């Protein structure tokens, strides 16, 4: 069975299709979008080795011609040199304004290819086939595309919505446990930010989903995408509510910077720790009960996830240095740090009203 989540943005509506075997049937899903039966695929070396042949076979069954390029795997690919190479390759392949480009990969490929599609001939359509849990529940939906700058992550980019997202649950079976759980950090974020019933469901079913249960995985991805779609519809370009999707991210970005954006801490791991810290801070500010942060940490621990600063291998800088790194966050407006805090599980809000001494004390307590 295929679940469909609509993203009804006026004039740019699209569907996120979630289910098993979608890669095998990708040709049938993509062919109806095409004006001429030809696509360009961009992937990375790891994903291409696992899934490119399945995709090209599925396209051939529908008579769709294809060309493909593979980029190196890893965050370093989200940079000007690989972006330039991709755009020029698409031009060499004579991709026209009415053609469709396919992004086959995780968040790095989706963001880079989406941005290339946004600027190529002033905008061509693209299809996202996200192959990581993080990309399925977050980065492939909502139209944020871009690359990193030496000055920081995701600082160069554009809003460009895909024309279709195919989230094949079967491909999650090729992820390492660590990558799956990192993506699950973003899944828990949705329950925490806006749906207490979903959080209850995750507490009861998270381990079943992690063990590979397809039905549980489909529901977790579907509910996450529904929540993201609702928020993106309200606030596509992040003038307000979309910032809720950054629950845990202010702490996370500082921790990623402190660990040199290395595999000491994956993004989704930082999000999980950041969510636990955001709830602890909310409780210390008297916004939510003391049980809420305990519940958040208990579930992350039960899943075998990182939830404390001490779970990050190696040394971290001191609390002052971490607070300083938080001040570099994109969410700083007029020098004022904005946080996503919570009145309870499923009830978060954006605020600039957070005394930095409270954040400092929290970090100091965590670093002991
Ligand atoms: N990943 C956050 C957003 O799409 O707004």
């Amino acid at each position: 069975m295929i679940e469909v989540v609509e993203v009804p943005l006026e004039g740019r509506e699209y569907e996120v299709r979630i289910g098993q075997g979608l890669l095998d049937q990708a040709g049938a899903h993509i062919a109806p979008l095409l004006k001429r039966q030809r696509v360009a695929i961009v992937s990375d070396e790891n994903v291409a080795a696992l899934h490119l042949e399945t995709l090209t076979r599925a396209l051939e069954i529908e008579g769709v011609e294809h060309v493909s390029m593979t980029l190196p795997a890893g965050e370093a690919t989200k940079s000007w040199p690989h972006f330039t190479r991709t755009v020029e390759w698409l031009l060499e392949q004579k991709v026209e304004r009415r053609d469709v480009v396919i992004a086959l990969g995780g968040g790095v490929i989706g963001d880079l290819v989406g941005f290339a599609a946004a600027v190529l001939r002033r905008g061509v359509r693209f299809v996202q086939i996200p192959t990581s849990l993080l990309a399925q529940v977050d980065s492939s939906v909502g139209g944020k595309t871009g690359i990193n700058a030496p000055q920081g992550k995701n600082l160069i980019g554009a809003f460009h919505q895909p024309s279709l997202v195919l989230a094949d649950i079967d491909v999650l079976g090729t992820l390492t446990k660590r990558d799956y759980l990192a993506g699950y950090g973003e899944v828990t974020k949705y329950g925490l930010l806006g749906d207490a019933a979903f959080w209850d469901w995750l507490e009861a079913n998270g381990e079943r989903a992690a063990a590979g249960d397809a039905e549980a995985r489909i529901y977790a991805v579907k509910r996450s995408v529904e929540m993201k779609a609702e928020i993106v519809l309200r606030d596509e370009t992040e003038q307000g509510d979309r910032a809720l999707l950054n629950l845990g991210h202010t702490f996370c970005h500082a921790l990623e910077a402190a660990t040199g954006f290395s595999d000491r801490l994956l993004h989704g791991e930082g999000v999980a720790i950041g969510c636990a810290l955001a709830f602890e801070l909310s409780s210390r500010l008297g916004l939510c009960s003391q049980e809420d942060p305990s519940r958040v940490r208990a579930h992350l621990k039960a899943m075998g996830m990182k939830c404390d600063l001490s779970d990050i291998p190696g040394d971290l800088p001191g609390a002052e240095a971490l607070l300083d790194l938080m001040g570099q966050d994109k969410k700083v407006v007029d020098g004022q740090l904005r946080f996503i805090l919570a009145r309870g599980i499923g009830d978060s809000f954006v605020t600039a009203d957070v005394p930095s001494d409270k954040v400092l004390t929290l970090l100091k307590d965590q670093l002991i």
Side-chain angles (χ1 to χ4, degrees):
M1 191 175 86
I2 296 172
E3 297 282 357
V4 178
V5 179
E6 314 264 355
V7 188
L9 287 163
E10 214 184 319
R12 288 157 302 133
E13 18 319 85
Y14 59 96
E15 290 185 355
V16 182
R17 299 183 192 154
I18 302 152
Q20 295 189 269
L22 282 174
L23 202 53
D24 275 322
Q25 307 152 16
H29 289 277
I30 292 167
L33 298 176
L34 305 178
K35 306 274 193 250
R36 61 170 174 163
Q37 298 303 302
R38 185 173 186 272
V39 293
I41 306 163
V42 183
S43 190
D44 75 34
E45 282 158 4
N46 293 349
V47 172
L50 290 166
H51 304 301
L52 183 59
E53 206 186 313
T54 312
L55 174 60
T56 54
R57 213 183 317 114
L59 290 165
E60 283 159 16
I61 292 169
E62 298 299 318
V64 178
E65 285 176 36
H66 49 83
V67 287
S68 57
M69 87 176 290
T70 52
L71 296 167
E75 189 72 26
T77 296
K78 249 177 83 168
S79 59
W80 280 123
H82 291 290
F83 175 74
T84 310
R85 202 178 134 212
T86 305
V87 172
E88 290 179 356
W89 176 79
L90 291 168
L91 290 170
E92 282 160 19
Q93 298 306 317
K94 304 201 170 19
V95 172
E96 295 176 2
R97 191 75 200 281
R98 284 149 39 111
D99 287 340
V100 167
V101 176
I102 299 177
L104 173 70
V108 168
I109 289 296
D111 285 4
L112 180 143
V113 176
F115 185 35
V119 299
L120 189 78
R121 302 189 191 277
R122 299 207 174 87
V124 302
R125 291 172 301 153
F126 79 116
V127 171
Q128 291 266 24
I129 306 186
T131 56
S132 67
L133 180 58
L134 188 136
Q136 292 192 351
V137 298
D138 187 23
S139 57
S140 68
V141 181
K144 277 191 182 174
T145 71
I147 56 173
N148 301 329
Q151 290 78 3
K153 278 180 79 170
N154 296 325
L155 292 183
I156 304 156
F159 287 98
H160 186 53
Q161 300 291 340
S163 298
L164 175 68
V165 182
L166 295 177
D168 185 341
I169 295 301
D170 289 339
V171 305
L172 301 179
T174 59
L175 298 179
T176 62
K177 185 165 185 223
R178 187 177 179 201
D179 281 330
Y180 176 88
L181 288 178
Y184 187 76
E186 297 278 3
V187 175
T188 59
K189 177 191 83 178
Y190 290 105
L192 294 173
L193 77 86
D195 186 350
F198 184 43
W199 175 263
D200 293 345
W201 185 90
L202 291 171
E203 283 180 329
N205 297 281
E207 286 172 67
R208 185 161 69 91
D213 185 285
E215 192 199 339
R217 286 185 172 188
I218 289 171
Y219 182 73
V221 173
K222 178 181 166 235
R223 186 63 199 125
S224 301
V225 170
E226 277 173 353
M227 292 192 66
K228 177 143 192 189
E230 279 165 27
I231 292 173
V232 167
L233 271 185
R234 289 208 297 273
D235 178 24
E236 184 182 4
T237 57
E238 200 166 315
Q239 307 303 311
D241 266 10
R242 187 163 180 163
L244 293 174
L245 294 171
N246 291 321
L247 176 63
H249 283 62
T250 306
F251 288 108
C252 171
H253 290 154
L255 295 171
E256 283 183 292
T259 49
F261 299 97
S262 68
D263 75 353
R264 274 174 68 198
L265 184 74
L266 303 179
H267 176 72
E269 294 173 333
V271 171
I273 296 173
C275 286
L277 290 172
F279 268 80
E280 179 60 33
L281 183 59
S282 301
S283 159
R284 289 184 181 200
L285 293 171
L287 293 163
C288 69
S289 76
Q290 287 178 350
E291 285 80 62
D292 288 332
S294 308
R295 235 180 117 185
V296 175
R297 292 180 69 257
H299 181 52
L300 299 178
K301 267 194 184 308
M303 293 295 296
M305 294 163 71
K306 295 183 173 65
C307 67
D308 292 311
L309 296 188
S310 56
D311 294 330
I312 301 171
D315 292 332
L316 285 175
E320 283 85 359
L322 283 178
L323 188 64
D324 202 40
L325 286 170
M326 290 170 86
Q328 324 255 335
D329 195 272
K330 281 206 292 302
K331 289 187 293 306
V332 173
V333 178
D334 294 336
Q336 189 84 23
L337 198 54
R338 287 190 306 155
F339 273 89
I340 321 302
L341 295 180
R343 295 185 194 91
I345 286 176
D347 185 8
S348 67
F349 63 100
V350 186
T351 178
D353 187 20
V354 180
S356 47
D357 60 316
K358 295 271 195 243
V359 184
L360 195 62
T361 313
L362 169 64
L363 290 170
K364 280 186 176 154
D365 292 349
Q366 274 264 325
L367 286 165
I368 286 168

